[in-house]
Amino acid sequence: MPRVSSDSTVTHRIELGLTERAELKEIIKTQKENQRLDAITASLQAVGMAIGGIGALGAGLALAAWLAPGLWDKTKDKVKDAVDDVTKTGINVLNDVLPPSYEIPTIEAFRAEYDELRAKERASNGRKVHYCTPSSIGFDEQQCQIATDENINDRKEITDLYARIQETIEIARGGGAWRNIFGAGQD
């Protein structure tokens, strides 16, 4: 059935005095404090769950290490290999993009450079022994001085390579400044 429209409007009003208003403000303040406490409690519960999860993971890993000692080593090796592969791939991609003067050195590049410098140093050392030994057939003071200077220079190059490797290790650990590689701050 249709409803009959009203012919008058009645307004009901609740008026609060000073004491009622003070009570209402206190209730609102308490409600806001409860909401804050609920948020803190929920955050602490999440942290507790995370700590429990980490503890369970640690217990599982400890149990796996105790039950299968070789499994831990194999897993660690596989993770290390995967990280090394990703790192090498990332460095190779960066080296493809960067100009040659800014290339990031790799272990293989350092090893190849060391092998080359070491072969050069051995050759100069052989010439030094040949020309500087008085009982040698090839004894020659002038050639001895040249071979000695070459040998000293070769050893210095190897020392410089060691310093570059150490600097790269420091940068990789986060202790060095990338500006040394990329030339930032130079005038």
Side-chain angles (χ1 to χ4, degrees):
M1 274 185 101
R3 214 173 137 206
V4 179
S5 62
S6 61
D7 55 352
S8 66
T9 303
V10 178
T11 304
H12 297 280
R13 226 181 251 172
I14 298 174
E15 294 184 6
L16 302 175
L18 293 176
T19 55
E20 289 89 2
R21 288 182 185 170
E23 284 291 322
L24 192 57
K25 284 181 184 177
E26 185 65 32
I27 290 170
I28 291 172
K29 182 180 173 187
T30 304
Q31 184 64 28
K32 286 182 180 179
E33 188 63 32
N34 285 341
Q35 287 175 343
R36 273 190 245 142
L37 288 174
D38 287 344
I40 291 171
T41 303
S43 299
L44 290 176
Q45 285 177 344
V47 168
M49 291 298 287
I51 290 172
I54 291 170
L57 178 64
L61 290 174
L63 181 64
W66 181 63
L67 292 176
L71 180 65
W72 180 255
D73 293 334
K74 288 178 186 176
T75 304
K76 191 168 65 172
D77 291 341
K78 286 187 179 190
V79 168
K80 183 183 178 303
D81 291 343
V83 169
D84 287 346
D85 289 344
V86 169
T87 303
K88 287 178 187 176
T89 303
I91 288 174
N92 291 339
V93 168
L94 283 175
N95 283 340
D96 289 343
V97 174
L98 293 173
S101 60
Y102 295 124
E103 285 187 358
I104 300 170
T106 61
I107 293 172
E108 291 81 13
F110 278 135
R111 192 168 287 135
E113 187 176 355
Y114 173 77
D115 290 342
E116 180 183 322
L117 289 174
R118 191 74 175 108
K120 189 176 162 188
E121 190 258 341
R122 284 188 185 122
S124 66
N125 195 39
R127 284 191 300 278
K128 181 180 168 188
V129 168
H130 180 72
Y131 292 123
C132 297
T133 305
S135 62
S136 172
I137 296 174
F139 178 75
D140 183 353
E141 287 184 20
Q142 188 176 15
Q143 290 296 324
C144 175
Q145 187 60 43
I146 293 170
T148 301
D149 291 343
E150 285 177 358
N151 191 255
I152 290 170
N153 187 38
D154 293 341
R155 288 183 184 188
K156 183 183 179 312
E157 287 179 4
I158 291 174
T159 304
D160 292 345
L161 176 65
Y162 283 143
R164 283 193 1 249
I165 291 171
Q166 193 63 36
E167 181 182 355
T168 303
I169 290 170
E170 284 298 316
I171 289 170
R173 288 183 180 156
W178 283 100
R179 67 179 171 270
N180 293 342
I181 289 179
F182 295 110
Q186 294 178 354
D187 294 330

